[in-house]
Amino acid sequence: MVFEGLADKLQQTFKKLRGRGKLSEADVNDAMREVRMALLEADVNFKVVKDFVAKVKERAVGHDVLESLTPAQQVIKIVNDELTNLMGGTQSRIAISPKPPTVVMLVGLQGAGKTTTAGKLALLLKKQNKRPLLVAADVYRPAAIKQLEVLGEKLEIPVFTLGDKEKPVVIAKKAVEHAQAYANDIVLIDTAGRLHINAELMDELKAVKQTVRPHEILLVVDAMTGQDAVTVAESFNNDLGLDGVILTKLDGDARGGAALSVKAVTGCPIKFAGMGEKLEALEPFHPDRMASRILGMGDVLSLIEKAEQAIDIDKAQALEKKLRKEEFTLDDFLDQLQQVRKLGSIDQILGMIPGMGGLTKKLQGAEFDEKQLKQVEAIIRSMTKKERRDPNIINGSRRKRIAAGSGTRVQDVNRLLKQFADARKMMKQFQQHQKSGRKGGFKLPFMR
Amino acid sequence: MGFFDRLKEGLTKTRKGFTEKIEQLVSGYATIDDEFLDDLEAVLIAADVGVKTVAALIADIKAGVKAKQINSPDDLVPFLKTRIAAILAAGEGAPRQAETGPTVIMVVGVNGVGKTTTIAKLGHYYREQGRRVLLAAGDTFRAAASEQLEIWGGRIGAEVIRHKEGSDPAAVAFDAVQAAKARNADLLIVDTAGRLHTKSNLMEELKKVHRVIARELPGAPHEVLLVLDATTGQNALSQARLFKEAVEISGLVLTKLDGTAKGGVIVAVKSELGVPVKWIGVGEKMEDLRPFVASDFASALFGDR
């Protein structure tokens, strides 16, 4: 299932529609069919989809198409805005109680990632100069307590445990007392994963809630969850009253429609998103980015942000100058390559570019391309300084030497040199085009 | 209580939602019209069957109506049951085993689907048949994963080969295969760390484990099972596709069917990728994991009528 981005599909739908004007009902109907498919493929609950599409349709019909946009873009803009609205503003904060300790309880199904998330959240709070206490209240899963203890040790955060023989209610109660005695201002209770239809275990959670009166009850939800996310969130919310949601495993390729479903059903804000296996990988949730992701439109904002962090502006400007003077050498080529690699692996980068969603799928794993990048690096590094400045001097015997030095074949060296020559030629043409035509400097990708 | 009853019991919640909705639908309509099909589509989508597969099923129904196989909404449940069973049953077969020496099963999947628990249950199943089972604690990444497997090993009476946390999982696999050969084990089940299928470095690591097993014991691993959580939505397709590319999975294990999730995505995985379901987990008890039988699943899903 190589899903084309919604943007591409809508573009197709609107192909016949030229010029501007108002969006007619028929146009919008066609578009809404695509929107509906995109949302369902992203695992948004079908009831939520139904309501959502109706709402968007109402807004879109008769809407003026903005001058700078095509009708397709206009519809996407409306859909995107509505999605972002639905998922709420950013509220990635834990409500800190004026009277410490603040008690936070993590609940969810088995395997959603509660224990790992507890560790990540504790680290995040520690960085904000809090003194969190982790509480191991999962007495059912074998070695769950040990898992939290190991995490606590790594993070240098205390873990409260009474072993797996005590009832969670007792553990929670004693943990809060412990926190008061040892001046821990935040208590994070990791509870056992459970099915929302298991009455006995849900009662246990209710009992814990009544005993320690947590300030926040957070539902941990796997981003890969399908249509059932609604049922789960609804049950937990009805039984316990949720204050927020943490979405985990968003670093995969799931489009995360569950986020929308859960928000629509519970009304609770999604506070954080788990973005990786590293313990630092818990990030504030961005509704706007999630909207683009659900629609398969890439995560442009994230890419821009990442690029801003990773790219050395000075270097980029120096490079631009070189380009203008047509002094672009293999050294610069290597440099640029490394700059790009700082952004992450190729598949990650492509995943964030609109319209590239489908391509990412094809490149999946992208180890092939990563390998090629490494190869290119090795080849360039096996050249002398002189060769890098002036590739024209690289004759047959030099090529052989470079291939041997970089562990590649002469063909690989040839290919790289050809690519480089092509790139240079292209840049030259670009330069001439720029000189003769429009004003404004030539910008490298990632330069703003 | 036979397993079929357990399956039915486990699927009770699954079946409520699903069959009841279809039955409501059937009783609410006298004829099959577009509106009826739209509603049916919604029911199937709610079961995570997936947009594409649902479209194919609906097309089948339309063809069935034309061919007079379906004459009223009442004919629909048997029709769908047969269709879904047929999709799931294609290529059904007993788990592959070694002709001589130990059979090696490698268990893979994304984080949190229940790999370690599934291994314990699989081990239990074979222990009940009087086989010598060896477990390899190949999840050297997650904190205390090895301990978790060791506890299970103790409970089911299977030895566990483990290294310390953070060591190379391929080395664990190597040792485990040697141990399985030396100790004449009938079965070696290799646990692996949960990993997202999009992380190419982790998938490389998995390939290495697979390579090492294959090198140390020709013909192994005899089964590579991808564990899939029934609550998973359409992402299961992407998981199955990429794990298949990396380690040539031979089948699926569908877990956590005792919730309200319907696990309908297995229909999509089977029809789009041809990966069959081999085991199915319908509860938390040790006995609740069993070989998957498509017709039983389809019958249990739709109730006995």
Side-chain angles (χ1 to χ4, degrees):
Chain A
M1 182 189 60
V2 180
F3 63 72
E4 305 157 58
L6 176 68
D8 302 338
K9 282 188 189 164
L10 285 183
Q11 217 77 52
Q12 291 287 322
T13 314
F14 282 112
K15 230 180 188 169
K16 46 192 187 284
L17 211 81
R18 295 225 170 257
R20 301 187 199 93
K22 283 184 196 305
L23 293 168
S24 78
E25 189 161 356
D27 305 334
V28 172
N29 275 343
D30 282 350
M32 284 308 115
R33 201 166 301 137
E34 298 297 343
V35 171
R36 179 173 170 272
M37 288 281 278
L39 293 175
L40 286 175
E41 274 177 0
D43 286 322
V44 180
N45 185 270
F46 75 98
K47 282 184 205 148
V48 178
V49 172
K50 208 170 169 186
D51 294 347
F52 178 76
V53 168
K55 201 191 233 170
V56 171
K57 200 166 133 185
E58 202 176 296
R59 238 193 90 180
V61 174
H63 201 287
D64 290 327
V65 176
L66 293 179
E67 211 166 303
S68 55
L69 299 176
T70 65
Q73 287 169 331
Q74 181 72 49
V75 170
I76 288 172
K77 190 177 177 305
I78 295 172
V79 171
N80 200 34
D81 289 353
E82 281 293 318
L83 265 185
T84 312
N85 281 343
L86 245 181
M87 279 185 289
T90 42
Q91 285 195 45
S92 50
R93 293 228 311 267
I94 301 283
I96 301 295
S97 156
K99 195 175 146 249
T102 302
V103 181
V104 179
M105 213 169 129
L106 295 177
V107 300
L109 299 179
Q110 286 101 335
K114 283 175 299 301
T115 307
T116 308
T117 303
K120 288 178 177 176
L121 193 55
L123 179 62
L124 199 78
L125 291 164
K126 190 182 164 194
K127 282 187 181 159
Q128 296 169 3
N129 293 321
K130 299 274 185 267
R131 289 169 43 82
L133 175 69
L134 284 164
V135 182
D138 180 353
V139 296
Y140 301 104
R141 181 164 59 98
I145 295 175
K146 175 85 181 163
Q147 186 186 352
L148 198 65
E149 280 175 338
V150 174
L151 283 176
E153 207 171 291
K154 267 188 205 156
L155 300 170
E156 294 174 358
I157 289 170
V159 176
F160 183 87
T161 157
L162 293 175
D164 58 4
K165 301 286 180 282
E166 281 293 351
K167 288 218 162 76
V169 179
V170 178
I171 297 173
K173 187 164 174 260
K174 295 227 166 120
V176 175
E177 288 166 11
H178 179 95
Q180 280 160 346
Y182 289 83
N184 291 110
D185 47 9
I186 294 198
V187 178
L188 289 172
I189 306 176
D190 175 32
T191 65
R194 66 202 70 216
L195 284 172
H196 49 293
I197 47 170
N198 187 328
E200 200 184 316
L201 286 176
M202 291 306 277
D203 283 345
E204 180 190 283
L205 281 184
K206 282 185 216 165
V208 174
K209 181 187 173 183
Q210 269 161 14
T211 313
V212 297
R213 307 234 160 253
H215 302 87
E216 296 246 346
I217 301 181
L218 302 176
L219 178 70
V220 180
V221 179
D222 185 330
M224 294 181 272
T225 312
Q227 297 284 323
D228 205 41
V230 159
T231 327
V232 173
E234 214 162 31
S235 302
F236 273 99
N237 195 33
N238 288 344
D239 285 354
L240 297 168
L242 299 172
D243 300 289
V245 174
I246 299 181
L247 207 60
T248 60
K249 305 178 204 172
L250 254 185
D251 47 332
D253 59 352
R255 280 162 70 191
L260 186 63
S261 303
V262 168
K263 177 72 213 292
V265 171
T266 64
C268 296
I270 298 165
K271 300 202 167 182
F272 299 98
M275 298 299 294
E277 297 200 335
K278 295 215 181 76
L279 288 163
E280 295 79 25
L282 188 73
E283 297 178 3
F285 177 76
H286 298 285
D288 44 351
R289 297 179 193 176
M290 196 65 214
S292 313
R293 178 173 179 145
I294 289 176
L295 294 173
M297 299 204 308
D299 193 347
V300 197
L301 288 167
S302 289
L303 181 65
I304 291 170
E305 213 169 70
K306 255 191 168 176
E308 278 174 353
Q309 282 170 5
I311 299 287
D312 188 329
I313 302 286
D314 291 343
K315 268 193 181 170
Q317 274 166 354
L319 193 56
E320 191 194 349
K321 236 177 234 160
K322 281 188 177 167
L323 278 173
R324 282 169 191 273
K325 289 192 202 151
E326 295 164 28
E327 283 171 0
F328 188 65
T329 67
L330 277 161
D331 263 329
D332 304 320
F333 188 62
L334 183 62
D335 215 47
Q336 202 193 9
L337 213 65
Q338 280 162 343
Q339 296 256 336
V340 173
R341 282 191 60 183
K342 267 196 238 167
L343 291 172
S345 67
I346 293 286
D347 53 342
Q348 263 179 335
I349 298 171
L350 286 181
M352 287 189 269
I353 302 173
M356 290 292 186
L359 196 60
T360 331
K361 291 268 166 173
K362 277 182 217 150
L363 281 176
Q364 207 45 264
E367 64 268 317
F368 172 69
D369 299 79
E370 284 289 314
K371 263 186 204 149
Q372 263 202 339
L373 279 184
K374 275 191 200 140
Q375 207 179 45
V376 168
E377 205 178 316
I379 294 174
I380 297 180
R381 286 195 186 285
S382 297
M383 295 176 184
T384 63
K385 279 187 182 161
K386 210 172 159 194
E387 283 165 348
R388 290 187 216 175
R389 267 197 304 272
D390 185 12
N392 292 327
I393 64 166
I394 305 179
N395 57 19
S397 81
R398 282 178 192 261
R399 280 171 206 227
K400 253 189 226 163
R401 194 205 73 241
I402 292 166
S406 57
T408 56
R409 296 165 308 166
V410 175
Q411 293 98 296
D412 299 322
V413 179
N414 288 342
R415 195 185 321 127
L416 172 67
L417 289 172
K418 171 130 192 351
Q419 276 169 356
F420 178 70
D422 288 347
R424 237 182 171 180
K425 210 194 288 167
M426 212 170 72
M427 283 173 187
K428 219 178 216 169
Q429 282 166 355
F430 220 79
Q431 293 291 311
Q432 279 155 0
H433 177 72
Q434 294 259 322
K435 269 181 215 153
S436 62
R438 293 163 299 169
K439 53 191 175 213
F442 170 60
K443 297 248 169 175
L444 276 173
F446 313 116
M447 273 196 60
R448 304 204 316 147
Chain B
M1 189 159 67
F3 183 65
F4 185 69
D5 294 320
R6 292 205 61 81
L7 179 65
K8 258 175 48 182
E9 191 188 79
L11 285 176
T12 311
K13 297 286 182 327
T14 304
R15 202 172 64 231
K16 274 188 179 154
F18 197 63
T19 330
E20 275 176 15
K21 265 183 215 148
I22 289 190
E23 273 171 16
Q24 273 170 16
L25 207 68
V26 168
S27 57
Y29 286 90
T31 54
I32 296 175
D33 53 18
D34 280 351
E35 201 186 331
F36 173 82
L37 289 178
D38 277 356
D39 284 354
L40 181 66
E41 188 189 18
V43 174
L44 289 168
I45 280 176
D48 281 320
V49 176
V51 182
K52 261 189 203 159
T53 312
V54 170
L57 284 171
I58 296 284
D60 281 354
I61 291 171
K62 280 184 180 162
V65 171
K66 230 178 196 167
K68 304 264 183 233
Q69 282 171 298
I70 306 171
N71 298 310
S72 73
D74 277 333
D75 297 336
L76 200 80
V77 171
F79 183 85
L80 264 183
K81 194 169 24 177
T82 325
R83 275 300 298 146
I84 289 180
I87 292 174
L88 290 174
E92 203 173 43
R96 269 182 274 170
Q97 295 190 4
E99 282 167 25
T100 56
T103 297
V104 181
I105 302 175
M106 189 175 162
V107 179
V108 303
V110 301
N111 318 61
V113 288
K115 278 179 300 301
T116 309
T117 312
T118 296
I119 286 171
K121 290 178 182 170
L122 262 180
H124 174 78
Y125 178 85
Y126 286 110
R127 286 288 299 138
E128 290 282 285
Q129 299 182 350
R131 312 250 225 131
R132 283 177 62 103
V133 177
L134 203 60
L135 307 178
D139 182 354
T140 55
F141 181 80
R142 199 192 67 195
S146 298
E147 276 89 346
Q148 188 184 350
L149 195 68
E150 201 148 58
I151 294 170
W152 280 122
R155 287 187 198 168
I156 64 170
E159 273 183 87
V160 177
I161 304 294
R162 59 174 286 196
H163 286 189
K164 60 174 191 293
E165 202 181 306
S167 53
D168 182 359
V172 179
F174 178 89
D175 279 359
V177 173
Q178 302 310 333
K181 287 196 282 194
R183 298 176 200 178
N184 267 328
D186 298 313
L187 193 75
L188 168 65
I189 311 178
V190 183
D191 193 10
T192 61
R195 67 201 70 219
L196 288 177
H197 46 294
T198 50
K199 309 265 155 142
S200 51
N201 53 338
L202 295 179
M203 293 307 272
E204 283 300 325
E205 180 192 87
L206 199 63
K207 283 188 205 167
K208 186 177 165 197
V209 173
H210 189 274
R211 266 200 313 272
V212 166
I213 295 174
R215 193 185 64 208
E216 294 309 311
L217 190 69
H222 305 86
E223 289 271 2
V224 181
L225 299 174
L226 172 69
V227 182
L228 210 61
D229 182 330
T231 53
T232 308
Q234 300 312 301
N235 192 248
L237 280 166
S238 177
Q239 291 174 26
R241 182 175 294 114
L242 293 178
F243 273 104
K244 194 176 172 204
E245 274 171 24
V247 290
E248 200 44 56
I249 51 174
S250 59
L252 302 178
V253 181
L254 187 65
T255 61
K256 307 188 195 173
L257 258 179
D258 45 339
T260 45
K262 286 130 199 113
V265 74
I266 60 168
V267 183
V269 171
K270 183 68 203 295
S271 69
E272 284 189 33
L273 300 171
V275 182
V277 185
K278 298 228 166 158
W279 297 84
I280 176 170
V282 291
E284 292 186 2
K285 292 197 202 82
M286 272 295 174
E287 306 74 47
D288 291 340
L289 183 81
R290 285 298 164 102
F292 177 80
V293 181
S295 52
D296 284 2
F297 180 79
S299 297
L301 194 62
F302 286 99
D304 244 351
R305 318 169 18 117

